[in-house]
Amino acid sequence: MLFFTIINVLKILSIVVPLLISVAYFTLAERKIMGAIQRRQGPNVIGWAGLLQPLADGLKLFAKETILPSNADLVVFVFAPMLTFILSLIGWAVIPFGEGLLISDIQVGILYLFAISSLGVYGIITSGWSSNSKYAFLGALRSAAQMVSYEVSIGFIIICVVLCVGSFNLTEIVLAQKSIWFCVPLFPMFIMFFISALAETNRHPFDLPEAEAELVSGCNVEYSAMGFALFFLGEYANMLLMSSLTTILFLGGWLPLFDIAPFNWIPSPVWFGLKLCIFVVLFIWFRATLPRYRYDQLMTLGWKVFLPLSLGYLLFTASMLVSFNWLPN
């Protein structure tokens, strides 16, 4: 029993530790790429080419004093960033980096990720409410409404993929793309899914909950030190999670570009990481180049454009599968 417990702990650490390192260097990549786009250098002082900057930032946040607002609900206030951070980590339990390279290969992996993403709203709402600040509460309401709105269209898009595969298992979804990646036959859904992922993670051009000119950083405005750091880590871990989910659903997961030499010599986790990096760069590129939407435009896009389009394409895909007898066994 003890042996299996140790094995499970090591498996969890093998995911969590690289993930936290990836999140740290995601922030460095963001600052470097945005610096290049804006014709400046970005971090370049701490370590060679600024490579130790994320470690210095983490140490600074860890050493800072935690300030608790006098009128806040302290229990909920402290619990909210912990909830956000924990939920951003446990979603990775079902993400396959290669065939058999995952913590839990459950048959309902998609439903598990749905449950985790829906719970993420509670961390946002509780942080805004417990801060006892009108700006934090408005940011939390905006964020919750935005996440719920775009989860609807994300759900229809994922159901479309599930119809084509006949399974909720993420490994089977990847293996079903051996002949052709789903980004080709489901290209409109692929584009809508990635844009919805931007809105789901509150990133540009949909970062209305963090609009600095209006809400002074949104629901986490009252947080400092490690509370702010946990929100920060959770946000970037969620971006990586949505990028990995996009890779699995539409870009064939760990499958190589071509199943011939030398492409199939590259290990499957490397292929997965390369595809993941494409969406990471897109997240950063959009932040550096696109202006922010108005809130009414954001909701109009979610409810009046993406929802009907995703539902219509779902019905079209189902009718094509039935008409040509392409339904999976």
Side-chain angles (χ1 to χ4, degrees):
M1 186 68 181
L2 179 61
F3 174 76
F4 288 112
T5 303
I6 294 173
I7 292 296
N8 288 331
V9 170
L10 290 176
K11 286 172 70 175
I12 293 169
L13 289 177
S14 69
I15 297 292
V16 171
V17 174
L19 175 62
L20 294 179
I21 295 172
S22 300
V23 166
Y25 280 92
F26 185 177
T27 63
L28 178 64
E30 181 173 41
R31 295 168 71 180
K32 283 284 191 181
I33 293 172
M34 288 185 66
I37 291 173
Q38 297 166 359
R39 302 195 67 173
R40 54 185 177 82
Q41 288 189 339
N44 64 344
V45 175
I46 303 178
W48 181 76
L51 287 177
L52 297 180
Q53 184 68 49
L55 303 180
D57 291 339
L59 181 62
K60 179 193 73 172
L61 287 170
F62 184 76
K64 274 182 174 287
E65 179 188 1
T66 299
I67 299 173
L68 301 176
S70 56
N71 293 326
D73 188 331
L74 294 182
V75 175
V76 182
F77 184 82
V78 172
F79 176 70
M82 296 168 56
L83 176 64
T84 301
F85 178 65
I86 291 169
L87 289 175
S88 70
L89 293 183
I90 62 178
W92 288 88
V94 296
I95 297 295
F97 302 95
E99 193 162 7
L101 294 177
L102 74 168
I103 293 178
S104 179
D105 192 16
I106 58 177
Q107 292 300 315
V108 288
I110 290 289
L111 297 180
Y112 174 83
L113 288 175
F114 262 135
I116 297 302
S117 65
S118 62
L119 287 173
V121 178
Y122 290 102
I124 304 286
I125 284 290
T126 52
S127 66
W129 178 81
S130 64
S131 299
N132 199 21
S133 164
K134 67 180 79 170
Y135 296 109
F137 190 55
L138 283 172
L141 289 179
R142 276 188 175 189
S143 183
Q146 180 172 320
M147 292 170 72
V148 170
S149 299
Y150 281 86
E151 272 180 6
V152 179
S153 55
I154 284 177
F156 284 126
I157 293 167
I158 292 179
I159 289 171
C160 189
V161 174
V162 169
L163 270 180
C164 296
V165 178
S167 173
F168 287 98
N169 185 282
L170 292 169
T171 301
E172 292 182 18
I173 290 174
V174 173
L175 295 176
Q177 301 177 64
K178 278 188 175 180
S179 56
I180 185 171
W181 294 351
F182 286 148
C183 64
V184 177
L186 302 176
F187 184 73
M189 305 293 262
F190 169 53
I191 299 298
M192 283 193 290
F193 186 86
F194 182 67
I195 296 174
S196 298
L198 291 173
E200 179 75 10
T201 52
N202 300 326
R203 291 288 292 185
H204 272 73
F206 308 112
D207 63 331
L208 275 301
E210 300 173 8
E212 294 89 354
E214 307 157 29
L215 299 178
V216 205
S217 182
C219 65
N220 58 5
V221 65
E222 298 292 343
Y223 285 88
S224 60
M226 284 309 294
F228 174 79
L230 290 177
F231 271 119
F232 195 72
L233 291 171
E235 179 184 342
Y236 278 78
N238 279 328
M239 279 190 274
L240 290 174
L241 181 64
M242 293 304 294
S243 298
S244 64
L245 190 56
T246 311
T247 301
I248 289 168
L249 294 176
F250 295 101
L251 288 189
W254 66 82
L255 298 177
L257 185 61
F258 300 106
D259 197 13
I260 56 173
F263 295 99
N264 53 11
W265 295 346
I266 302 174
S268 54
V270 176
W271 273 115
F272 187 88
L274 289 173
K275 295 174 185 177
L276 185 65
C277 288
I278 294 173
F279 296 108
V280 166
V281 172
L282 284 176
F283 268 101
I284 300 168
W285 184 21
F286 285 2
R287 179 179 179 184
T289 55
L290 296 179
R292 181 181 293 133
Y293 268 48
R294 288 200 321 263
Y295 200 74
D296 61 308
Q297 293 173 329
L298 170 80
M299 286 301 175
T300 299
L301 182 68
W303 290 104
K304 294 185 179 180
V305 179
F306 279 10
L307 179 59
L309 281 178
S310 58
L311 182 56
Y313 207 91
L314 171 62
L315 296 175
F316 171 73
T317 303
S319 62
M320 292 293 287
L321 292 172
V322 172
S323 299
F324 293 94
N325 198 22
W326 291 339
L327 284 171
N329 295 324

